Amino acid sequence: MLTTAITARERMVLAKHASRTISLLTDQQKCGALMSVADEITAATDDIVAANAEDLAHGRDNGLSEALQDRLRLDGHRIAGLARAVREVARLPDPVGRVLDEQVMPNGVALTKVSVPFGVVGSIYEARPNVTVDIAALALRSGNAVVLRGGSAAERTNAALIAAMRRALTQANVDPDGIQTVDDFGRDGARELMQARGLIDVLIPRGSAALIETVVTESLVPVIETGAGIVHIVLDASAPLEWARDIVVNAKVQRPSVCNSVETVLVVREAAERLVAPVAGALHAHGVTVHGDEAVALLADHVVPATEADWSTEYLSLDVSMKVVADLDEALAHIRQYSTGHTESIITASDTNAERFLAEVDSAVVMVNASTRFTDGGEFGFGAEVGISTQKLHARGPMGLPELTSTKWLARGTGQVRA
Amino acid sequence: MLTTAITARERMVLAKHASRTISLLTDQQKCGALMSVADEITAATDDIVAANAEDLAHGRDNGLSEALQDRLRLDGHRIAGLARAVREVARLPDPVGRVLDEQVMPNGVALTKVSVPFGVVGSIYEARPNVTVDIAALALRSGNAVVLRGGSAAERTNAALIAAMRRALTQANVDPDGIQTVDDFGRDGARELMQARGLIDVLIPRGSAALIETVVTESLVPVIETGAGIVHIVLDASAPLEWARDIVVNAKVQRPSVCNSVETVLVVREAAERLVAPVAGALHAHGVTVHGDEAVALLADHVVPATEADWSTEYLSLDVSMKVVADLDEALAHIRQYSTGHTESIITASDTNAERFLAEVDSAVVMVNASTRFTDGGEFGFGAEVGISTQKLHARGPMGLPELTSTKWLARGTGQVRA
């Protein structure tokens, strides 16, 4: 590990320097480095678990919740899982060097647009040490150096993981400065990362809505906004009961803590009497608290009154808001007002309404008759997920390895000048 | 025109609202609206020229330079050119609705990734009224609303152009609020535009390096950075004299005021005695002032001594800096230090050095044996140019209409839930 005599900015300069040689590594060299990372993490299991135990003890002393402690905890089994995930990233196709466009200008200059690494990827995230390994592996696979800021709760765990990964790079003859942390600079490290335009090429925040908002607002480095999901399902007049019930339950219950789980169900009035009671009942049977408007409360049992705040709340828990809307127009207007542009789905038997929903909803993923839980890099066949972009620039929706690359035009001439 | 009782932010809300219907226009409707814009600009020639005369008089009174006055000036001929350019944009293929990816998930959910409009495009630029029409036409062609901030020197001209374009939209049954200006709010208008995250989807600054720097630094809206070009040409040991001379002269002299013109020529020492005198001599014969280092000054006449500042100066004039470097390594290091990542070219007879240059130079366009003046949307066959991106996110190099679109995943299922 580096001594603390070095500044956060100097670490980033080292990462930038390392990115030059890392961007030129062959597919085979990158895969070799990733295999080395997986081996070295496995070999360092005891060190990592010991560091993690210190973080956990420190967390308990400082009142870290049980849920956050669980997210933070690494044991031999979980570390083996991290190493396996790194090997899986190595098996994905190289996203660098793809020919994206080719043409010959009338004067004979040959143009080729190819995918190239960004250079240095920065990431700011919260107490999930798996993200440390995940982002580093994805960055390396796509020819990028990486600078990580993982949150103080996991500082010792992250330091052990990063030390292991840097040893692995050295063993694979790759510049170890390609993996850097600014964890040990606390909040200043995050601040320097956000201001390092020219050193960091793209910054990816992962974590709570508040964290992402801070990064988007304060960063001078271009940001890819990820994650926040106030996700809607619309039950249209013609929605088949079975699909409506099964999809809403799946979208809420299968994993409530993630961004693609549903938060608000909008029921078109014509279908309310037919659908609200059985759908709300099925949710209740699965332990979900339904926060309903007055119309919902009249039609179903166990409904907690919804307040205005409910429509803009990302519960990430076994809670869902439910509202009866006059028609599809009102459903679309509600989504425009409250959606974070992540995923929305309509349950309908009407092709007309389905196509209208697909055309008019302005979200990263718009679905018909499917669970919103499918918005996921793995489900989309990407093999790995960098995050789910809710912005419109560069990447939108689940991001795979290709989204960690930029492009470059190569022009090959034989003395041509412009007339 | 709108009354000034409305705030800048309210104008943006109107643009956002209009973007919903504009995003759903058919190809034919968008082309019809553009033809209407071209006709209405032509019909309003007298009004526009009168408004422009006021701006010019105001500019003269305030000491606006002759060069800026010329950029600002619109006469019947130039207005006809603007209308013609709008008609040409209408003839370009619709960038919206392209299918970019398609797959069926193992469970039968059909995924389609399509290109969609951004929504609302913002642009901040300086005293060039042609940009007002240009950006509005490109935004409309790609299904976007637009909010413009064009600089106080052209305020009356821009108001006349925007009034004509809004009339044209009304006549074509398109919501005229899809074209908005915040010019009349002065600097506050620009500030509000940069802070309008959620209303403006992407902000494109066009103009001086200082303007672009301000927007990149202050904007909360995602920015596409354009334009600044400290462009290098490397004359390699094996560079053929004729190509070296003709390409350097073309890259500097053909249009010195634009971003793709060369600013620095790096000559590898082995070729210095053979190339410096004839290349510098040809530049001098074309009226170019060569700012050379000591080695250059020893080999050529009429050389002005270069200072450290020259290597980071975008002259945009008949000036060029020239330096003798030890070898290709030193040339690459110089480019890494001073380039803005726009365009660099190497003149060489060595395939090895050509491929090394293409791989190692981290710029939007990297060339071998061609003039840097080819970095241009028109030359690349895009039919129109939104600007030249020097950032790595979303778009890099010349941007055409497709770069004014985002993407959306459509998922069509039949009741699938996640296991």
Side-chain angles (χ1 to χ4, degrees):
Chain A
M1 286 297 288
L2 295 161
T3 70
T4 49
I6 199 166
T7 67
R9 192 166 173 89
E10 283 163 346
R11 294 250 181 99
M12 293 185 252
V13 170
L14 290 173
K16 179 86 181 169
H17 186 266
S19 76
R20 285 164 40 204
T21 52
I22 290 173
S23 73
L24 299 173
L25 294 177
T26 63
D27 188 19
Q28 208 181 353
Q29 288 170 319
K30 286 183 279 195
C31 291
L34 285 166
M35 292 305 179
S36 174
V37 164
D39 293 344
E40 198 59 42
I41 286 174
T42 310
T45 298
D46 292 348
D47 288 355
I48 298 165
V49 170
N52 188 246
E54 286 184 48
D55 278 336
L56 283 167
H58 188 260
R60 272 190 303 272
D61 292 349
N62 287 275
L64 196 68
S65 73
E66 283 294 334
L68 287 177
Q69 284 183 48
D70 182 59
R71 268 169 48 170
L72 174 56
R73 184 169 293 114
L74 286 185
D75 53 21
H77 184 70
R78 285 187 177 179
I79 291 169
L82 289 179
R84 200 166 46 243
V86 172
R87 290 194 185 94
E88 275 163 24
V89 168
R91 275 190 284 272
L92 293 172
D94 190 346
V96 171
R98 288 168 297 137
V99 173
L100 304 171
D101 201 351
E102 270 186 305
Q103 47 165 310
V104 178
M105 288 167 55
N107 62 17
V109 173
L111 292 173
T112 315
K113 186 181 186 180
V114 295
S115 62
V116 296
F118 269 121
V120 185
V121 173
S123 190
I124 299 183
Y125 52 99
E126 284 161 346
R128 290 193 188 226
N130 61 310
V131 175
T132 304
V133 177
D134 210 28
I135 294 272
L138 292 164
L140 185 57
R141 187 69 189 93
S142 46
N144 292 292
V146 70
V147 181
L148 300 164
R149 156 70 178 142
S152 54
E155 191 178 331
R156 296 164 191 84
T157 311
N158 286 338
L161 287 168
I162 287 166
M165 292 194 288
R166 288 172 57 99
R167 283 197 303 274
L169 293 191
T170 303
Q171 283 161 21
N173 277 317
V174 173
D175 189 341
D177 285 332
I179 299 179
Q180 298 284 354
T181 174
V182 291
D183 270 2
D184 43 334
F185 300 100
R187 285 177 187 276
D188 284 346
R191 210 168 296 128
E192 295 249 23
L193 200 49
M194 292 191 279
Q195 287 177 356
R197 200 156 73 89
L199 288 176
I200 305 293
D201 293 289
V202 61
L203 192 54
I204 303 174
R206 281 180 64 167
S208 69
L211 170 89
I212 292 164
E213 179 66 23
T214 302
V215 173
V216 167
T217 309
E218 293 188 12
S219 180
L220 299 184
V221 173
V223 171
I224 299 181
E225 200 175 337
T226 64
I230 297 181
V231 166
H232 297 77
I233 295 179
V234 175
L235 306 184
D236 195 19
S238 63
L241 166 60
E242 200 178 322
W243 289 1
R245 187 191 55 211
D246 293 355
I247 288 174
V248 168
V249 168
N250 180 260
K252 181 75 258 180
V253 170
Q254 204 238 359
R255 201 170 166 206
S257 65
V258 291
C259 60
N260 58 19
S261 67
V262 68
E263 307 295 9
T264 299
V265 178
L266 301 170
V267 188
V268 169
R269 179 158 300 141
E270 199 183 322
E273 253 187 89
R274 185 170 60 85
L275 298 178
V276 166
V279 172
L283 286 164
H284 179 71
H286 282 87
V288 177
T289 303
V290 176
H291 304 250
D293 70 352
E294 281 183 34
V296 168
L298 285 172
L299 291 165
D301 296 329
H302 313 292
V303 172
V304 172
T307 64
E308 173 62 27
D310 280 293
W311 315 121
S312 44
T313 298
E314 189 180 8
Y315 299 111
L316 299 171
S317 60
L318 285 173
D319 293 82
V320 76
S321 57
M322 191 180 289
K323 183 183 170 80
V324 173
V325 291
D327 50 22
L328 187 52
D329 284 327
E330 191 184 328
L332 290 168
H334 182 100
I335 289 170
R336 267 198 303 278
Q337 186 168 357
Y338 296 104
S339 168
T340 54
H342 187 295
T343 301
E344 332 295 335
S345 185
I346 187 170
I347 317 303
T348 185
S350 156
D351 283 347
T352 308
N353 288 358
E355 292 307 316
R356 187 179 166 206
F357 192 80
L358 290 170
E360 295 192 21
V361 174
D362 185 26
S363 297
V365 185
V366 190
M367 297 180 167
V368 174
N369 296 326
S371 170
T372 57
R373 288 278 295 120
F374 288 122
T375 297
D376 176 275
E379 294 291 323
F380 277 41
F382 297 169
E385 185 179 279
V386 179
I388 295 176
S389 165
T390 51
Q391 73 180 34
K392 295 184 184 176
L393 214 62
H394 184 71
R396 198 173 190 207
M399 293 186 286
L401 281 175
E403 280 68 38
L404 281 184
T405 63
S406 181
T407 60
K408 177 156 99 172
W409 283 98
L410 308 177
R412 293 178 171 94
T414 49
Q416 286 86 346
V417 297
R418 189 155 165 192
Chain B
M1 285 295 289
L2 295 162
T3 70
T4 49
I6 198 165
T7 67
R9 192 166 173 91
E10 283 163 347
R11 294 249 181 99
M12 292 185 252
V13 170
L14 290 172
K16 180 84 182 170
H17 186 266
S19 76
R20 286 166 36 205
T21 51
I22 289 173
S23 73
L24 298 173
L25 294 177
T26 64
D27 188 20
Q28 208 179 353
Q29 287 170 319
K30 287 183 279 194
C31 291
L34 285 166
M35 291 305 180
S36 173
V37 165
D39 292 345
E40 199 57 43
I41 286 174
T42 310
T45 298
D46 291 347
D47 288 354
I48 297 165
V49 170
N52 188 246
E54 286 183 50
D55 278 335
L56 283 167
H58 188 260
R60 272 190 304 272
D61 292 347
N62 287 276
L64 196 68
S65 73
E66 284 293 336
L68 288 177
Q69 284 183 48
D70 182 58
R71 270 171 45 171
L72 174 56
R73 185 169 291 114
L74 286 185
D75 53 22
H77 183 71
R78 284 188 177 180
I79 291 168
L82 288 180
R84 198 164 50 241
V86 172
R87 290 194 185 94
E88 276 164 22
V89 167
R91 276 189 285 272
L92 293 172
D94 191 344
V96 170
R98 289 169 297 138
V99 173
L100 303 170
D101 201 351
E102 270 186 306
Q103 48 165 308
V104 179
M105 289 167 57
N107 61 18
V109 173
L111 292 173
T112 314
K113 187 182 186 181
V114 295
S115 61
V116 296
F118 269 121
V120 185
V121 173
S123 189
I124 299 183
Y125 51 98
E126 283 161 347
R128 291 192 187 227
N130 61 311
V131 175
T132 304
V133 177
D134 211 28
I135 294 272
L138 291 164
L140 185 57
R141 187 69 188 94
S142 46
N144 292 293
V146 70
V147 181
L148 301 163
R149 156 70 179 144
S152 54
E155 191 179 332
R156 296 164 190 84
T157 311
N158 287 338
L161 287 168
I162 286 165
M165 292 194 288
R166 288 172 57 98
R167 283 197 302 275
L169 293 191
T170 302
Q171 283 160 23
N173 277 317
V174 173
D175 188 341
D177 284 331
I179 299 179
Q180 299 283 355
T181 174
V182 291
D183 270 3
D184 43 334
F185 299 100
R187 285 176 186 276
D188 284 346
R191 211 168 296 130
E192 296 249 24
L193 199 49
M194 292 191 279
Q195 287 177 356
R197 200 156 74 88
L199 288 176
I200 306 292
D201 293 288
V202 61
L203 192 52
I204 303 175
R206 281 178 65 165
S208 68
L211 170 88
I212 292 164
E213 179 67 22
T214 301
V215 173
V216 167
T217 309
E218 293 188 13
S219 181
L220 298 184
V221 173
V223 170
I224 299 181
E225 199 177 338
T226 64
I230 297 182
V231 165
H232 297 77
I233 295 179
V234 175
L235 307 183
D236 195 19
S238 63
L241 166 60
E242 201 178 320
W243 288 2
R245 186 190 57 211
D246 293 355
I247 288 174
V248 168
V249 168
N250 180 260
K252 181 75 257 182
V253 169
Q254 204 239 359
R255 201 169 165 205
S257 66
V258 292
C259 60
N260 59 18
S261 67
V262 68
E263 306 295 8
T264 300
V265 179
L266 302 169
V267 188
V268 169
R269 181 158 298 142
E270 199 183 323
E273 254 188 87
R274 185 169 61 85
L275 297 178
V276 167
V279 172
L283 286 164
H284 179 72
H286 282 85
V288 177
T289 302
V290 176
H291 303 250
D293 70 351
E294 281 182 34
V296 168
L298 285 172
L299 291 165
D301 297 330
H302 314 293
V303 172
V304 172
T307 64
E308 173 60 28
D310 280 293
W311 314 121
S312 45
T313 297
E314 188 180 8
Y315 298 112
L316 299 172
S317 61
L318 285 173
D319 292 83
V320 75
S321 58
M322 192 179 289
K323 183 184 171 79
V324 173
V325 291
D327 50 22
L328 187 52
D329 284 327
E330 191 183 327
L332 290 168
H334 182 101
I335 289 170
R336 266 197 303 277
Q337 186 169 359
Y338 296 105
S339 169
T340 53
H342 187 294
T343 301
E344 331 295 335
S345 185
I346 187 170
I347 316 304
T348 185
S350 157
D351 283 348
T352 309
N353 288 357
E355 292 307 315
R356 187 179 166 205
F357 192 79
L358 290 170
E360 294 193 21
V361 173
D362 185 25
S363 296
V365 185
V366 190
M367 297 181 167
V368 174
N369 297 325
S371 170
T372 57
R373 289 277 295 120
F374 288 121
T375 297
D376 176 276
E379 295 289 323
F380 276 41
F382 296 169
E385 185 178 279
V386 178
I388 295 176
S389 165
T390 52
Q391 72 180 34
K392 294 183 184 177
L393 214 62
H394 184 73
R396 198 174 190 205
M399 292 186 287
L401 281 175
E403 279 69 38
L404 282 186
T405 63
S406 181
T407 60
K408 176 157 99 172
W409 283 99
L410 308 178
R412 293 178 172 93
T414 48
Q416 285 87 345
V417 297
R418 190 156 164 191

